[in-house]
Amino acid sequence: MNRLRVTPGPVLALTALWLATRALMSWLLTHDSSPLLGGGSVPREVWRLYFRWYGVLSHGAFPAHDSTWQYPPGAGAVLLAPGLLPWLTYFQAFVALTLAADALIAAALVRVGTRPGRSLFGAALWTCGLPLLLHVPLARYDVQVTALAVISLLTAGRSPRAGGVLGALGALVKVWPALVLLGTPRGSATRRAWGSAVAAGAAGLALLAVSFNNPLAFLREQGGRGVQIESLGGTALNLARHAGWSGRSRYQYGAIEMVGPHVHAVATASLALTAAAFGLLLLWRLRARHWSPATPYDAALAAVLLFTVTSRVISPQYMIWLIGLAAVCLTSRHTSQRPVALLILAASAMSSVVFPMYYRDVVAGTWTGCLLMVARNGLLAAAAVLSFVRLWRATRPPAGKPAPETQPRPDSDRLPDRALSIS
């Protein structure tokens, strides 16, 4: 039989594009003194904040009584990792490891995309989409977290247990990767994935608790967070300043947050919306009847989008997660999320205009800053609604035509050889 021959041209082009764009991102990171690039504020997160935490972690404790420490204990392992490259400064080692995680994601997407019945569009979206955030991804540890989530999704189809373990490790670092397991097919795949995730998460947490003091210190600071200026609630409050609201923005808990009357009510509303989003996702899970090979990917993207737009905090680096998950969706030709991926790319480009380019306007609450935030958050909200609606429709049979539940085989994106033959 003739088999699909994958020509090296697209892979070589993606490799060259990745090298060129990452070189540009690295150059921006070390030449960002211009106010439009943040005036040096972007890399400061690494060499000041992360390095300070590294000093505390290297002495066997998590940063207790530090209002900026709001991350699960697994984050400590990521922040300690630059110590494995002692011949580099902490900043250099952190960026090098971030680029390595970035390359790992790209390589995984290319590997999956070259399989029969799959697509390289996912690798292309990651390669071209991440630079839309300028140099911000290289100075945050979200690329490493996204790598765990992406590989968890790509692995779970063939090995649900391995996918569950990787999802749990990601959740230990930054919670949200636990959502990537939401769309696992019903039955044994779900039991294996979720069971291994619980076991791996419990084992990892126990190991960190034995190795470090104050492993749960982050809960107190996370619970104290308010409404960050770039969230949907923060945007509404910023607009309210033009209508006479007496509040203002202030730096606290490691972010610019809104303070003043009714802020607590807005924060409570955000938590209520997050709970409602969780309820919608559970309802989808109960009502879904048809699983395609892309359903686990699509469900992960929809879930993270819903939790992002309802959050009290929407930091620029959150877009890294969404780009990564959208890229996984596009590796499958069965995905329902192609229009959503385009909205995410548009929102990512707008995020760079917001931060670092016009962040002072956002903080000051000028009309320019408010309109930019309305545009960015409007795109995200539209993406979240569209993602969930398309996921719902893709997994429910048409009205009047009930369909039996179907479960994809581990390699169900693979079509018969004769269907892939080319002349």
Side-chain angles (χ1 to χ4, degrees):
M1 294 183 185
N2 293 326
R3 292 184 180 272
L4 178 68
R5 295 189 296 273
V6 178
T7 60
V11 175
L12 291 176
L14 284 171
T15 302
L17 192 58
W18 186 91
L19 291 171
T21 53
R22 274 44 179 188
L24 177 60
M25 292 168 68
S26 300
W27 185 89
L28 290 174
L29 187 65
T30 54
H31 296 80
D32 71 336
S33 57
S34 166
L36 282 179
L37 294 176
S41 63
V42 173
R44 192 180 303 146
E45 186 99 355
V46 177
W47 60 259
R48 179 180 292 179
L49 187 60
Y50 290 2
F51 185 60
R52 188 183 80 215
W53 289 339
Y54 172 83
V56 177
L57 290 163
S58 61
H59 287 87
F62 288 97
H65 310 295
D66 183 343
S67 64
T68 60
W69 178 256
Q70 303 148 14
Y71 307 105
V78 177
L79 298 174
L80 283 170
L84 300 173
L85 306 176
W87 57 90
L88 299 176
T89 67
Y90 184 85
F91 178 79
Q92 292 169 339
F94 182 88
V95 173
L97 291 175
T98 303
L99 284 168
D102 177 6
L104 179 62
I105 293 172
L109 292 168
V110 167
R111 180 178 174 83
V112 170
T114 53
R115 290 176 184 165
R118 293 294 194 115
S119 171
L120 283 171
F121 282 126
L125 185 140
W126 175 258
T127 300
C128 301
L130 198 65
L132 293 175
L133 299 173
L134 303 179
H135 50 309
V136 171
L138 300 185
R140 302 293 185 271
Y141 76 88
D142 295 82
V143 173
Q144 289 89 321
V145 183
T146 303
L148 289 168
V150 165
I151 298 174
S152 171
L153 278 171
L154 295 178
T155 302
R158 291 171 176 260
S159 175
R161 288 192 177 91
V165 169
L166 289 167
L169 293 178
L172 281 175
V173 177
K174 216 167 189 180
V175 180
W176 70 265
L179 295 171
V180 304
L181 301 178
L182 178 72
T184 52
R186 290 197 184 100
S188 61
T190 289
R191 291 192 295 271
R192 292 198 300 270
W194 292 8
S196 62
V198 171
L205 186 59
L207 178 62
L208 290 164
V210 169
S211 305
F212 295 88
N213 295 325
N214 311 312
L216 301 180
F218 75 100
L219 291 174
R220 178 176 56 252
E221 311 305 338
Q222 183 63 242
R225 295 196 78 167
V227 179
Q228 192 243 12
I229 198 168
E230 293 172 73
S231 66
L232 268 69
T235 300
L237 289 171
N238 240 347
L239 285 168
R241 293 165 78 175
H242 293 277
W245 180 63
S246 60
R248 60 187 178 86
S249 59
R250 183 173 71 189
Y251 181 81
Q252 57 185 20
Y253 291 96
I256 305 294
E257 295 186 348
M258 305 302 295
V259 294
H262 313 301
V263 171
H264 180 71
V266 172
T268 302
S270 294
L271 292 173
L273 287 172
T274 299
F278 185 67
L280 276 177
L281 292 167
L282 285 181
L283 179 63
W284 165 79
R285 175 86 192 179
L286 292 172
R287 299 290 298 275
R289 290 294 178 268
H290 174 73
W291 256 257
S292 79
T295 299
Y297 307 161
D298 295 354
L301 179 59
V304 175
L305 267 169
L306 285 172
F307 274 77
T308 297
V309 299
T310 59
S311 173
R312 294 171 295 168
V313 180
I314 305 181
S315 298
Q317 57 266 29
Y318 288 17
M319 301 306 304
I320 300 170
W321 318 343
L322 301 176
I323 293 172
L325 295 178
V328 174
C329 290
L330 293 192
T331 63
S332 175
R333 298 178 183 180
H334 300 272
T335 185
S336 63
Q337 302 294 303
R338 291 186 185 89
V340 178
L342 293 177
L343 287 174
I344 289 172
L345 290 179
S348 298
M350 187 60 68
S351 287
S352 294
V353 179
V354 170
F355 179 85
M357 291 183 176
Y358 286 91
Y359 198 57
R360 290 185 179 181
D361 287 273
V362 175
V363 173
T366 67
W367 275 114
T368 298
C370 288
L371 292 175
L372 287 173
M373 288 312 312
V374 167
R376 198 285 299 269
N377 287 340
L379 287 167
L380 278 180
V385 172
L386 182 63
S387 180
F388 182 77
V389 168
R390 292 181 70 86
L391 172 69
W392 182 280
R393 290 176 177 172
T395 54
R396 293 285 297 170
K401 295 182 179 180
E405 291 194 20
T406 59
Q407 310 290 344
R409 295 181 319 212
D411 197 22
S412 54
D413 266 351
R414 187 182 298 277
L415 301 176
D417 288 338
R418 65 172 58 90
L420 296 170
S421 60
I422 57 176
S423 56

